[in-house]
């Protein structure tokens, strides 16, 4: 039996009712057989990044977060746009990983729960590429969920699962991870 594919999902929004979190939950709940998705609850707990706190001074919560990144076969990032930029907590989490070795060439998929937010998506893409994540462009998932009532949001997520964009993006991401490396 093959080892299951483990994906670690990071939500840039810390809101409990975040549409980006709901999108990650829909990906998790509709993952193909053999794929496990864990949604991080650590982002909001990380201290503000400081180079003085790296190495032997790295906080335990940061080590836990980095271990989750290391153990994952791929990363999914769902990110809202705040004031034409990345949410501070997400950028802080990424900053903690910059000088570590968990990230280089780790496959990453971007999911976005809005019809707008291009500034944040451009910034996120730039940051991920600069950090040497392996961005899987063909797996980009964008669903217009922003501003929907809870019922309309659930219906839109169900429809995207049935009609395919949600599952299709996830299947493309998993396929890219499983491509043999030469």
């Amino acid at each position: 039996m093959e080892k299951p594919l483990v994906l670690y999902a990071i939500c840039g929004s810390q809101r409990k009712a975040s549409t980006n979190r709901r999108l990650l939950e829909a990906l998790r709940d509709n993952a193909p057989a053999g794929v496990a998705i864990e949604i991080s609850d650590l982002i909001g707990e990380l201290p503000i990044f400081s180079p003085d706190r790296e190495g032997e001074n790295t906080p335990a919560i940061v080590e836990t977060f980095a271990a989750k990144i290391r153990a994952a076969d791929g990363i999914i990032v769902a990110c809202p746009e705040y004031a034409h930029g990345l949410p501070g907590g997400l950028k802080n989490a990424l900053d903690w990983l910059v000088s570590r070795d968990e990230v280089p060439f780790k496959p990453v998929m971007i999911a976005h729960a809005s019809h707008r937010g291009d500034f944040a998506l451009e910034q996120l893409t730039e940051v991920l590429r600069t950090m040497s994540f392996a961005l899987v462009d063909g797996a980009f998932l964008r669903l217009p969920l922003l501003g929907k009532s809870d019922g309309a949001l659930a219906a839109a997520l169900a429809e995207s699962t049935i009609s395919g964009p949600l599952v299709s993006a996830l299947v493309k991401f998993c396929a890219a991870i499983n491509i043999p490396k030469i």
Side-chain angles (χ1 to χ4, degrees):
M1 186 158 112
E2 279 188 44
K3 173 185 163 280
L5 200 60
V6 175
L7 306 178
Y8 193 59
I10 301 169
C11 186
S13 173
Q14 297 304 294
R15 285 183 57 227
K16 299 250 185 271
S18 160
T19 54
N20 280 283
R21 182 158 183 101
R22 291 280 301 270
L23 180 55
L24 290 175
E25 290 168 351
L27 284 164
R28 179 197 62 206
D29 296 346
N30 293 284
V35 176
I37 299 175
E38 178 184 351
I39 301 171
S40 177
D41 287 322
L42 300 175
I43 304 300
E45 304 302 318
L46 298 174
I48 295 173
F49 172 73
S50 169
D52 292 338
R53 297 189 73 191
E54 290 184 295
E56 63 188 35
N57 297 322
T58 302
I61 188 86
V62 174
E63 293 291 357
T64 300
F65 177 64
K68 296 280 190 178
I69 298 289
R70 178 183 302 286
D73 297 302
I75 307 298
I76 302 170
V77 180
C79 176
E81 180 175 284
Y82 292 170
H84 283 189
L86 294 177
L90 175 61
K91 181 62 168 79
N92 183 58
L94 293 172
D95 286 345
W96 274 111
L97 299 170
V98 167
S99 64
R100 301 178 62 95
D101 66 356
E102 291 85 3
V103 168
F105 313 110
K106 180 78 66 174
V108 66
M109 169 186 170
I110 296 175
H112 189 65
S114 179
H115 58 286
R116 59 184 191 219
D118 291 338
F119 292 108
L121 289 172
E122 288 173 22
Q123 290 170 22
L124 178 60
T125 299
E126 177 65 21
V127 168
L128 295 173
R129 285 194 172 127
T130 298
M131 292 177 67
S132 299
F133 272 101
L135 194 59
V136 180
D137 294 318
F140 176 70
L141 174 63
R142 184 178 213 167
L143 295 177
L145 304 176
L146 183 67
K148 293 188 182 305
S149 68
D150 199 47
L153 178 62
L157 286 168
E159 176 61 29
S160 70
T161 302
I162 294 165
S163 67
L166 188 139
V167 174
S168 175
L170 188 54
V171 167
K172 287 177 187 174
F173 183 54
C174 293
I177 292 171
N178 283 322
I179 294 173
K181 309 298 184 257
I182 301 175

